[in-house]
Every structure is written in C-alpha cells, then in structure tokens.
Amino acid sequence: MSPAGPAWPRLRVLQTLWALLVVLLAPWRLWAIKNTQECTWQVVLNNFETVGKKDASDRFVDQEPLYTVDKVFSQLVDAPIDPDELFNLIPRYFVNVPSRPLWYTVDQAPVFILGGIPEEKAILLTDTNFKDFFLVELSIDSCWVGSFYCPQTSFTATIYDAIATESTLFIRQNQLIYYFTGTYTTLHESNRGSGRWVRVLANECIKKLCPVHFHSNGSEYVMALTTGKHEGYVHFGTITDGRVSFELLPRQRSVCNGILVVNCSITWAVFIAGDYNLLLLVEIEDPSTRKYFQVVSYDLVSDYLVVLYTIPEFIPDARGLEFLMVLGTESYTNFPMVPKGMSYNPYNNLLFIWGNFLLQSYNSKNFIYLADFPKELSIKYLVNSFYGDTAIVTETEEIWYLLEGSYQVYKLFPSKGWEVHVSLQVMQQSSLYAPNETMVTLFYEDHRLYQLVYLIDNQQGRLVKRLVPVEQLLMYQQISNDYLLERQGSHLTLSFTNFCPFTVMRLRDLPNPQIYTRQERYRAQPPRVLEPGGFHSDNSLAVYQGLVYYLLWLHSKYDKPYADPVHDPTWRWWKNKKQDQDYYFYLASNWRSAGSVHVDMASYEKIYDLKAENELPERIFLDKGTSYRFSVFLTAREPEPLHGPSFQLQSKVGLAVVLADPECIEAVVKEKVLVNRNSVLFWVTLSDKRFCFDQGISGHHLMKTSMLLKVVGSSGHCFQNTNQGPRMQGNLMVPVLIGCPPGKRLAFDITYTLEYNRLQNKHYFDCVHVDPEMPCFLFRDIFYPFFLIQDLVTGDSGSFQGSYVLKVVGGGPTLDTIKEYSEEDIYRFNSPLDKTGSLIWTTRNTTTTEDSAFNILSHNSLGIEWLCMENSPCHDTIPHSIFASEFFFKVLVSNRGVDKSTYCDYQLTFQLRIHGLPLSARRAFLILMVSASLFVGLVILYVISCLLSPYVVKVCNVLCWKINNIIAWESYIYSVASDTGAFSNTSGIKSGESSGGISRVVSKVAGENRTDTKETLRKKPIS
C-alpha cells in the first residue's frame, strides 16, 4: 500500500473506505528494550470506533463483529469457531480449575496465550490483555513418545505450558513441544497458510518449559527441561526473526557429571542475559544420604559449571523475626525445604527461590529467608511486575504480596481486607464479583495487578478481567488491625494509628522526561470539519487516518544519512506550503476547502518539550557520564505518643537510595532540613560511572539496573489518595538502562560541509547534472567532512565533537554500479600502511588506531586529500561524456574504539559523489599521442591538398568535358536517327541511295566536328 499523501481532491474515493489503523510493531516499544531491530509499519483496515474522540484510542486489529476475528484466527484451528459455541464451551472448562501462570516476553509479545484447560487441545488467546479473548483449538498431532526413556504413566490432551514471544508461540503437551510457524503479520493473510504448529525436539522427553521474560542481543529465548535419556540437560531455544533453534546444554557433559554427582534432575532454569549465564535449580538424589537441592551456574561462553549455593534441608527457625540471613549456623525446624522454582529480576538482580518457603538474594550466593510466608503453604508460581512488586500464588490459590526491597509478605486473598473490599463492591452492585469464583491467572499490566476470573452467577458463567486493588487491601488490613477503642465519658471513641513516618511526599525539580525516557511523541489533531453540523464523517476520519499514516511514514523515512537543514521529520511535509498557509486558512474561513475539511499545518508536529508530571519517569536511560537529578520533599508526621511499651518519639524521616549495581552507577543525596515547616528536602543525583559498558548501537544491548528510592519505615504503611484510587508511597523503583540511548544517530552535515569547503578552497564547483540530495565535490579540492549528532527524541542537533574512523567500503562510476569491497580491499584502499599503491585517500593527520591500521579523524582534522592511486578502483576512471569523470564512494564513518566520550557506537554509511577525477598517466599519454597524430595528419593532408589542387582541378575539368561530350554525342545520334526514320517512311523508292547519302552526310559532319574541336584546343590558353 502506498503511503497516503495530501492529495485531497481525491478524497471522494476514500468515502467508501475504512480507516487506516497504523501500528508500530518493533519500535522502540520501548525499542531499546525492544530491541528491535528496524521498525515496521503494518496497516490494516478497521472500523471507526473511537478515533478522533477525546482521551480515546483504537488498537491493532480491533475488529468487530466477532466473525471478522474468526477469519483471522481460523487458521490456527481445525475448523472455524462458532461464536455461539465459543461461550457455551467456556463453563465446562474453567469450573474449579487450578490457576496457571501467564508467560510472555515483557514489552514484546503482541498477544498472550494461556493453556491449562483440562483434557482439551485449546488455549485462550488475546491481543488486549484479556479485555477480550478467543478460545482457539489447536490442530496438533498429539503424538506420544512415551517409552522406556520417557517416564510418563498417562496421556492427556491438556496444554500445560504456554509461552508467547514477539514472533512465535510455544506450547507443551505431554512431553512434546510445538511452536507456531510464521509471524503475527501473516495471521491476517488467508492465502499464506500460516496456521501450522510444528513439533520441535521430537525425539526428546520434555518435562517443563521455562520462560525468559526479556529479550536480549536481538533475540528471544525459551528453555526446555528434559527427562529420561537426556536427564541433566537443558534445551536452550533461541528465536531470531521468527526462526527457532535449540542447543543442548551443557555442551561437553551433563550437569550431573559437571557437579560430580550420580543422579540429578533440573527442576528450574533461569537465563541471565547480561552475564550470558544459566542458573539451574538442581535436585540431587544421593542414595547413601538424602535428597537435596543446589543452585548451579552455567556459563554459556566458557561451558563452565559451578555450584553457587546449597539449599538447606530444613526450613530455618526465625524465632519471631521478619527475615533471617541464612549462614548455616542458625537453628532449623522439622519442616523440609521443598524448592519448586526460581524467579529473577534483571533490573535489581533479585533472585527468588520458592517452594514452601521464600528465599531472596541479590548476588545468587547469600540468601535471606522471609519468615512472614507460612511454611505450611506451598507456592505455585510468582508474578513479577519488574518494577518492585511481586505477587505470590499458592497451591491453594491464595494470593500474597511482596514489595521488593522490604521483607514483609502480605496476604491479600483471603483476608479481612478482601472481605471488606468485596462487601463494598457488592453494595455498589459490581458485575465483577460473584459468590462462585475461580481464578484463571494473575498478571501485571501497567504496574497494576489483575486477575482473570471465571464467575458463575445465576447459573451463567463468564470470564472477566478485574483489578486486584493491592493498596486498598493493605489499607483495609491496616485499619482492621491497628485501631484503639477509648472511652470518653459515656461512649467509646474509635481511633487509628498511622504508622507512615511522613504526611506529605512530593517529587520536585524533575527534568523534562523525554531525554531520559526516550519516547518520541507527535501531535496530530483531527482536521476541522467544514459542515453545518460539525460532526466527523467517514470522509473526514479517512483523511485523519491518512494524515496520521503519512506522519508516521515521514517518521520512518527520516533516518537517512544526509541531514536536513531543519532537524524535524515534519519539515519536508510543509516546507513548500508554508507560504500558502494564509491562503488555505482563507479557503477554510469561507468553507471552500477541498473535501470540506481543513488541515492546519501547525496541528501536525513533533513534541520536544514535554514537561514532567511530578513523578519519576517509567525508566531512565544513561549515556556515558550522564546524570539524573531531582529532589524529594518530605513533611514529617508530628510526634505522637504510641500506647504500650513501644512508646517513642517519631520526629525524623530518612531517605535511602538502593542501587542494584553500585559499581556502575552512583547516587549522591544531599539533605536540607526545613525546621519551620517540619520538613526535609533531599537532593538526589543519579550518575553513571563511565566504565561499566562498552560501546553499542543506539538502543541495543543495554545494561539493565535500577534505583530504589525508599523512605525508611514506609513500606506497606504509606498511601496517597489520587483520582485513580490510593497509591503506595515511600517506595519507588526506577529501572535504569546504561548504554547508548535509543533515538540518537550520526548524520552527514551536508549544509555546513558545503559552506566550510567553499570557504577553505576559495571556490565550489558542483557537477554539471546537479542533484540537490547529493551535491558533488571536486577531486582536486581538500575535502573537509562534518557530522551531526541528532537526537530524534529531544530535537537536539549539534556538531559531532568526537573522534572517528572513515573508510571507503564501496564505490562505482555510477550509482547502479556501486559494489561492496571485501575486508582485504577495505584495508588496502584506506590504510596508511598499504604498500600496494591502492590508497583512495590520505590525510595530513598523524593520529591512527592502536594498530596503526587506519587514520583517526575529528571535527578539527586537516581534511582529506583524494589520491585514487594506481591499484585503487577509482584510478583511471573513463568519462562517459565530454564532461569530467565522476565516481561514487560508499563511505563508512564509525567512532567505535576511538571515541571515549560516549557509549554510542555511531555508524554512518553514506554515498559521496566526486567529480573531476584525473586520467592515468598512461591513458593521458595515449590520448595525447592519438590527438597529436590526428592533428599532424590533418595538417599534412591540408598541405598536400593545397599543392595538388591545380592538377586536381585540371583533371576534373577534363573529366567533366569528356563526360559532357559523351552525353552530347549520344543525344545527337539519337536525334539524327529519329529524323532518318521519318524520311524513310515518306519515300521508299530510293531507299538504298538515300541511305548511302545519309551515311556520307553523317560521316562528314562528324569529321568536321572533330576538326573544330582540335582547333579549339589549340587556341585555348593554359591557365
């Protein structure tokens, strides 16, 4: 589909179309986490629902009615889904069914899938976080490879494990793994046949799938734990651009052999992408002693195994403490520790080991036992928000809550707070609660905890998504547990104790967020409708969608090597129409605009000055040596006596900043006490230490870490009422990403380059055939290149002040004949160490790389001198016309390894047009000789022609006379013959005599003519 442009006279054709809904699938998303790779625009036709409405949005593939979606997902099933059958089947599935975890690649997966439906080859699929969903029956073969090496006693059709990634889906049934082929884009194309599920690791016995929640290094990952013949191994799956591959790890020997045990089994696996390391929870069976568990680390690079931690056999005795550091010297209970899984947060390096206990560690070696979780329960799975919150689901479907950075574990369901909350919801006649409920799954969305619950009300079953109000539940529990009844006179007075150490907490002096969040924003207001009613129609909405599409198309096309004079993607849209802006406004004011809509040019622009909203950004990107600074204002709670033996005076508040990687980032906190206001102002500065990250491409391979801002004593006690309900205060975790921030690029500053080259060389000669997008540079002039660092998020654009290496990596006499050079050729053409006479260019700068292989340039370099030596590709370029020859160089500019001022590995490839290339000496001498020979030949020919011209003229005259004489003679004979024939016809009696007479007359005349001719020649003088 071609991009929509402002061709408004054709709008009548668009009246029959639906809107174009444009969605950026790999963009930043955050594209930095998201890596991505390059962005792709996907366009689908969609109904008009909420587009153009205030505070409303439409989403990708938001198609109604239901049959439209059935066409999309029918490729996944054996037969199309009947809308009536869909909701009739759900009650049979979800009554009293155990909940199951929802696994997906965070910030990447466009859909979620959920298995666990008993004895059914079906999954729940949603692309709206279960705002709506579809029941999809899977067309898989369901073969069972059970044998003597696959220990499984029964067969089931249930889909146990289901994982959604950005480009594919994984499921496990029995010991078999299937993944979905193709990409989600092809789901919308009925002729591509993408609805196939492919079995992978067909000869393996897979007992469990383990998810990897974050992508890294341009790929996504999944792990399959084996049993049977490959017990003690992990199948490590890598998904890159939709291609799935598995590798059996460890490579050399099994985990059991690596840790020197006879029998072992891997219970869980966690992949730490930053260290390229696997953490394995290993169960070891020792016949002579007992069964125990160890945490084993496996390095994927060195293929090295090491035991990090041996889990105690029994649960420690905390003796009333909230937590206990497990050192091996503490006393233990009689309850055995039964580990079941692990969970890892890459932002704060927090590792949980869970079972009928909960252990946490920040270095995978020293663990803390959280005693608030009862040892009588067993954890089924953890749900991590990766922003400091963790929800716990037990085997009995209880829900517990842990605020990371603290040691208190709170019971949310069932609890007194839950009872109060449900009672209030029933009083408000909420449709999200019913007497008979079954929790299907628990998950986080936008930092808030949600349940997918199956409700049965009046014998009607339905699946609903509802919020778990964590803050309200904690408030209700706090009120119900901490209150006091005091008698005042004849009646009792109810009073509550507030354990929050402050009354006011505000964030101040926050910088503009875009430079740290790296989110690009555009303003695109709907066009003005020039109709009496003023309401939007399909026509105006189609125009609006076309404008939005064109705006995003400009956004995607803006990443080009030559920088525009104005650093803004929308500049090219209006640069030729700004002078007519008043005219278009005049037409709109008189209701004469084309298509009855008016597009205001100022309504479509990029936003660079977004202001902070008194809250920390969702995430912070730090380049080399950069910092983030803000302040925290706290008003202390007035001192009040607390009843009982714990009487104390609370008059101070303390602020703690916890860093996940203090060796990479640092925090400086300065305190200012405001006595007259009973407040404290803290200035916090978070900075990068400049040595924990190598150079990387913009938005790729970033190091994950975090900052935790914590008011001492506030965890679980401080809440703030907002228009969206209560919000927890005093505990703020912000992910920090160290590396080259997304949205920064290197561009060729053609405007300043032309200006500076003209100034230094005292002239500028462009090519005969001018190309505004690619100006020419003269070969004999010194070339001074300049580059810009452009920030696509903030709009900043400044001269690149760092060092860089310039290489010619391709070239050709025309754009169509440009070819890439090999690594060997690149070295010969660009290295000052070349001895083969192949250099294309040189410079008077003496700074080189460490191996002296290439020159290092900067913005104040002495310029480039073009050489095109004998063995270079640009040597002896033959011109294709009377004008001087041209050559197109493909130039690579990179600062990798030579620029210490940034983490960004800037790489720019652009084409440079050089004209006026000289010919080789041999070819020039040959042309000179040929030209001289031709000139001498022409001179000799001219002299000869001058000397011989009289004789030539005489000969020509004789030839001309002879030719004329012959022509005259033949004409005379022809006329005499004609007269003789006429005379013979009139007198036939004396024919013989007449003939003889005529012959004599003719002979006589001829003789006389010859005599006259000779006499004429004698008398004619010789000139």
Side-chain angles (χ1 to χ4, degrees):
M1 180 178 293
S2 60
W8 308 130
R10 301 176 57 188
L11 290 178
R12 294 183 180 178
V13 181
L14 298 176
Q15 292 181 353
T16 58
L17 294 178
W18 288 357
L20 290 173
L21 180 61
V22 186
V23 175
L24 185 61
L25 287 180
W28 179 43
R29 233 184 353 257
L30 223 31
W31 301 331
I33 318 276
K34 352 232 221 75
N35 279 288
T36 174
Q37 320 309 332
E38 293 186 359
C39 306
T40 303
W41 300 111
Q42 303 294 342
V43 182
V44 295
L45 293 178
N46 213 341
N47 273 326
F48 293 111
E49 294 292 341
T50 60
V51 63
K53 295 181 180 179
K54 184 178 180 180
D55 299 328
S57 63
D58 277 338
R59 58 181 175 82
F60 183 46
V61 199
D62 190 4
Q63 299 163 321
E64 296 181 5
L66 184 61
Y67 71 84
T68 309
V69 184
D70 292 341
K71 292 180 181 179
V72 174
F73 295 107
S74 62
Q75 302 175 58
L76 294 172
V77 300
D78 297 326
I81 300 174
D82 184 357
D84 297 329
E85 182 184 0
L86 173 64
F87 293 101
N88 289 333
L89 291 176
I90 289 179
R92 181 164 55 92
Y93 289 154
F94 293 102
V95 176
N96 298 324
V97 174
S99 67
R100 76 265 357 197
L102 181 65
W103 290 338
Y104 56 92
T105 306
V106 177
D107 295 328
Q108 296 289 119
V111 300
F112 294 162
I113 58 173
L114 197 62
I117 303 174
E119 299 302 328
E120 294 290 342
K121 294 189 297 181
I123 59 174
L124 285 181
L125 186 147
T126 178
D127 66 337
T128 60
N129 294 352
F130 291 104
K131 182 180 178 181
D132 51 35
F133 54 88
F134 310 97
L135 186 66
V136 180
E137 184 181 358
L138 307 182
S139 53
I140 57 178
D141 47 25
S142 298
C143 296
W144 187 31
V145 295
S147 64
F148 67 95
Y149 62 83
C150 280
Q152 183 162 335
T153 58
S154 61
F155 169 82
T156 178
T158 306
I159 305 299
Y160 282 109
D161 300 329
I163 301 175
T165 67
E166 184 179 21
S167 56
T168 191
L169 310 172
F170 288 91
I171 60 170
R172 179 180 70 87
Q173 184 194 41
N174 300 310
Q175 306 111 332
L176 305 178
I177 299 179
Y178 301 84
Y179 74 92
F180 175 71
T181 59
T183 61
Y184 295 120
T185 306
T186 60
L187 284 174
H188 308 281
E189 302 176 12
S190 58
N191 59 344
R192 296 278 299 270
S194 62
R196 295 183 180 180
W197 290 85
V198 174
R199 188 169 67 189
V200 66
L201 303 175
N203 297 323
E204 299 291 334
C205 306
I206 306 302
K207 63 180 180 181
K208 185 179 297 181
L209 288 179
C210 292
V212 178
H213 296 288
F214 291 90
H215 75 100
S216 61
N217 305 317
S219 300
E220 296 170 286
Y221 306 95
V222 66
M223 293 173 290
L225 306 184
T226 64
T227 186
K229 64 178 181 178
H230 281 153
E231 187 78 62
Y233 287 91
V234 176
H235 288 280
F236 187 73
T238 303
I239 307 101
T240 305
D241 296 331
R243 298 185 299 271
V244 179
S245 61
F246 279 90
E247 181 183 8
L248 188 65
L249 300 176
R251 301 181 183 91
Q252 301 295 331
R253 53 183 177 173
S254 70
V255 174
C256 303
N257 295 333
I259 61 177
L260 304 178
V261 297
V262 178
N263 296 320
C264 74
S265 176
I266 301 176
T267 303
W268 200 271
V270 169
F271 177 55
I272 303 177
D275 301 330
Y276 217 59
N277 189 285
L278 284 180
L279 290 183
L280 307 174
L281 181 60
V282 182
E283 179 184 357
I284 302 170
E285 296 183 6
D286 190 348
S288 61
T289 58
R290 65 194 188 285
K291 179 189 297 185
Y292 61 97
F293 292 83
Q294 288 183 336
V295 178
V296 179
S297 172
Y298 171 70
D299 193 311
L300 276 76
V301 178
S302 63
D303 197 37
Y304 179 71
L305 281 165
V306 61
V307 177
L308 297 180
Y309 183 70
T310 300
I311 299 176
E313 183 178 359
F314 296 99
I315 293 178
D317 186 3
R319 298 182 179 180
L321 299 176
E322 292 181 346
F323 67 94
L324 181 67
M325 177 70 74
V326 181
L327 302 175
T329 59
E330 57 278 346
S331 60
Y332 293 90
T333 66
N334 295 326
F335 284 85
M337 270 192 168
V338 185
K340 299 178 64 175
M342 297 189 298
S343 176
Y344 180 76
N345 187 342
Y347 288 109
N348 57 10
N349 304 321
L350 184 58
L351 174 67
F352 288 108
I353 303 177
W354 45 267
N356 60 340
F357 61 94
L358 195 59
L359 293 177
Q360 73 174 26
S361 172
Y362 287 96
N363 60 4
S364 305
K365 297 178 182 178
N366 303 311
F367 283 84
I368 296 175
Y369 170 65
L370 302 183
D372 280 355
F373 184 79
K375 54 185 176 295
E376 295 81 11
L377 299 177
S378 180
I379 298 174
K380 181 161 55 174
Y381 58 90
L382 297 186
V383 183
N384 202 322
S385 70
F386 301 104
Y387 286 89
D389 306 276
T390 300
I392 304 168
V393 178
T394 68
E395 295 289 351
T396 57
E397 305 298 341
E398 293 185 5
I399 302 176
W400 292 69
Y401 174 76
L402 171 65
L403 190 63
E404 295 179 5
S406 66
Y407 306 106
Q408 294 88 8
V409 184
Y410 302 95
K411 186 177 182 180
L412 300 182
F413 171 82
S415 64
K416 293 182 180 178
W418 183 266
E419 293 175 358
V420 173
H421 172 71
V422 172
S423 300
L424 293 176
Q425 295 298 316
V426 172
M427 291 174 60
Q428 297 176 6
Q429 297 182 350
S430 173
S431 61
L432 300 179
Y433 297 86
N436 192 350
E437 299 181 352
T438 301
M439 184 173 70
V440 178
T441 191
L442 195 70
F443 61 95
Y444 275 96
E445 178 188 345
D446 296 331
H447 310 173
R448 309 189 78 178
L449 188 62
Y450 287 89
Q451 276 182 309
L452 185 64
V453 185
Y454 181 71
L455 305 178
I456 298 180
D457 192 10
N458 296 327
Q459 297 183 348
Q460 296 292 326
R462 54 194 173 94
L463 275 173
V464 298
K465 169 189 172 183
R466 71 186 184 194
L467 177 69
V468 179
V470 177
E471 292 82 3
Q472 284 187 346
L473 297 178
L474 294 180
M475 289 177 61
Y476 294 155
Q477 288 185 211
Q478 181 177 335
I479 293 174
S480 61
N481 294 331
D482 300 310
Y483 65 90
L484 183 67
L485 287 174
E486 295 181 336
R487 179 172 297 277
Q488 294 184 358
S490 60
H491 61 277
L492 294 176
T493 301
L494 182 65
S495 62
F496 299 93
T497 303
N498 195 329
F499 292 98
C500 183
F502 57 85
T503 58
V504 176
M505 178 180 178
R506 295 192 185 99
L507 299 176
R508 293 180 172 181
D509 305 302
L510 293 167
N512 289 349
Q514 285 179 285
I515 190 174
Y516 298 100
T517 62
R518 311 306 300 172
Q519 292 179 339
E520 300 184 56
R521 295 173 179 263
Y522 287 87
R523 179 180 291 109
Q525 298 178 357
R528 177 185 171 189
V529 180
L530 303 179
E531 296 290 345
F535 293 102
H536 280 279
S537 62
D538 285 359
N539 179 46
S540 62
L541 290 177
V543 172
Y544 187 30
Q545 289 293 309
L547 288 168
V548 172
Y549 175 77
Y550 192 73
L551 182 67
L552 297 179
W553 180 81
L554 287 173
H555 168 85
S556 65
K557 293 297 182 181
Y558 186 66
D559 190 12
K560 57 182 183 177
Y562 280 62
D564 284 337
V566 179
H567 177 41
D568 194 312
T570 63
W571 173 76
R572 286 182 172 267
W573 193 353
W574 309 114
K575 68 184 181 82
N576 296 326
K577 299 177 181 178
K578 279 290 185 181
Q579 64 271 19
D580 301 326
Q581 185 173 6
D582 294 337
Y583 171 70
Y584 292 126
F585 179 77
Y586 167 77
L587 292 178
S589 301
N590 292 274
W591 290 41
R592 294 182 178 273
S593 296
S596 297
V597 292
H598 171 61
V599 179
D600 186 7
M601 299 178 189
S603 299
Y604 295 84
E605 60 181 354
K606 196 167 186 179
I607 301 174
Y608 297 115
D609 56 350
L610 190 69
K611 303 300 181 183
E613 297 181 352
N614 295 322
E615 62 181 11
L616 292 177
E618 185 179 2
R619 51 180 59 86
I620 296 175
F621 288 85
L622 291 180
D623 197 357
K624 195 170 189 176
T626 58
S627 60
Y628 181 83
R629 192 168 188 262
F630 63 99
S631 63
V632 181
F633 178 82
L634 293 173
T635 299
R637 187 171 298 280
E638 292 292 339
E640 58 179 337
L642 296 179
H643 297 271
S646 60
F647 172 81
Q648 60 180 350
L649 188 65
Q650 295 181 343
S651 60
K652 288 188 177 181
V653 291
L655 181 69
V657 179
V658 182
L659 303 178
D661 295 280
E663 69 278 4
C664 298
I665 56 178
E666 64 179 353
V668 177
V669 181
K670 296 182 179 180
E671 179 184 14
K672 182 179 180 181
V673 179
L674 307 175
V675 179
N676 58 337
R677 301 177 64 180
N678 194 30
S679 303
V680 183
L681 182 65
F682 297 94
W683 283 97
V684 182
T685 303
L686 177 69
S687 304
D688 170 67
K689 286 189 173 182
R690 304 180 67 93
F691 54 79
C692 264
F693 189 81
D694 197 4
Q695 286 180 298
I697 301 175
S698 175
H700 290 73
H701 313 300
L702 300 168
M703 175 184 174
K704 295 182 178 68
T705 184
S706 67
M707 174 189 70
L708 176 62
L709 195 70
K710 182 177 180 180
V711 179
V712 179
S714 64
S715 297
H717 300 302
C718 301
F719 305 93
Q720 179 188 22
N721 292 320
T722 66
N723 55 357
Q724 297 179 351
R727 185 178 64 176
M728 196 173 298
Q729 276 192 314
N731 209 86
L732 300 174
M733 175 187 168
V734 182
V736 179
L737 296 149
I738 301 175
C740 183
K744 300 187 73 172
R745 73 178 191 122
L746 184 68
F748 182 35
D749 189 359
I750 185 62
T751 304
Y752 187 70
T753 298
L754 288 174
E755 179 183 345
Y756 190 83
N757 278 262
R758 182 183 290 109
L759 179 65
Q760 293 296 318
N761 296 315
K762 310 301 182 184
H763 61 259
Y764 173 71
F765 299 108
D766 205 344
C767 289
V768 177
H769 303 289
V770 178
D771 183 1
E773 298 292 332
M774 191 185 299
C776 284
F777 295 93
L778 191 62
F779 177 86
R780 70 171 182 265
D781 289 344
I782 301 297
F783 177 59
Y784 301 92
F786 290 91
F787 302 93
L788 292 173
I789 297 297
Q790 293 187 330
D791 194 325
L792 304 179
V793 178
T794 64
D796 295 335
S797 181
S799 177
F800 176 51
Q801 304 292 318
S803 302
Y804 62 91
V805 174
L806 185 145
K807 301 177 185 178
V808 177
V809 297
T814 64
L815 284 174
D816 297 331
T817 58
I818 292 178
K819 68 175 184 178
E820 303 285 342
Y821 300 148
S822 64
E823 291 295 330
E824 181 182 352
D825 290 339
I826 293 174
Y827 180 85
R828 291 191 300 109
F829 299 158
N830 299 274
S831 176
L833 301 179
D834 176 67
K835 304 300 182 183
T836 63
S838 304
L839 277 179
I840 292 178
W841 63 277
T842 188
T843 181
R844 286 179 288 175
N845 286 49
T846 58
T847 308
T848 62
T849 55
E850 293 181 359
D851 55 359
S852 301
F854 299 100
N855 291 299
I856 297 178
L857 305 177
S858 65
H859 70 286
N860 54 4
S861 295
L862 300 177
I864 291 174
E865 180 182 355
W866 302 107
L867 297 179
C868 288
M869 298 180 70
E870 182 177 0
N871 294 323
S872 65
C874 57
H875 179 73
D876 194 23
T877 303
I878 304 173
H880 296 281
S881 64
I882 62 174
F883 304 109
S885 57
E886 297 180 357
F887 202 88
F888 293 85
F889 292 114
K890 188 175 183 180
V891 180
L892 171 65
V893 174
S894 174
N895 71 331
R896 183 169 184 81
V898 298
D899 185 15
K900 306 301 181 182
S901 63
T902 178
Y903 288 136
C904 292
D905 177 10
Y906 293 121
Q907 291 189 8
L908 171 66
T909 303
F910 63 99
Q911 294 169 353
L912 195 62
R913 187 181 180 187
I914 304 297
H915 71 120
L917 277 74
L919 298 172
S920 65
R922 180 179 302 176
R923 188 177 298 276
F925 179 74
L926 177 62
I927 294 175
L928 177 61
M929 293 301 296
V930 172
S931 301
S933 300
L934 290 175
F935 177 76
V936 171
L938 291 174
V939 170
I940 294 174
L941 181 61
Y942 175 76
V943 173
I944 293 174
S945 64
C946 290
L947 294 175
L948 298 179
S949 59
Y951 300 99
V952 174
V953 171
K954 182 178 179 180
V955 172
C956 290
N957 290 334
V958 173
L959 290 176
C960 289
W961 176 82
K962 287 184 178 182
I963 292 172
N964 292 331
N965 193 25
I966 293 172
I967 294 174
W969 174 257
E970 290 180 354
S971 300
Y972 177 76
I973 292 176
Y974 176 76
S975 63
V976 172
S978 299
D979 294 340
T980 304
F983 176 77
S984 61
N985 291 332
T986 57
S987 179
I989 301 173
K990 299 180 179 181
S991 59
E993 184 178 354
S994 300
S995 298
I998 292 171
S999 298
R1000 286 193 294 270
V1001 172
V1002 171
S1003 298
K1004 183 177 179 180
V1005 172
E1008 291 176 355
N1009 290 337
R1010 284 195 294 271
T1011 302
D1012 295 338
T1013 302
K1014 290 180 180 180
E1015 291 178 356
T1016 304
L1017 290 175
R1018 290 192 195 101
K1019 294 179 180 179
K1020 185 176 181 181
I1022 299 176
S1023 56

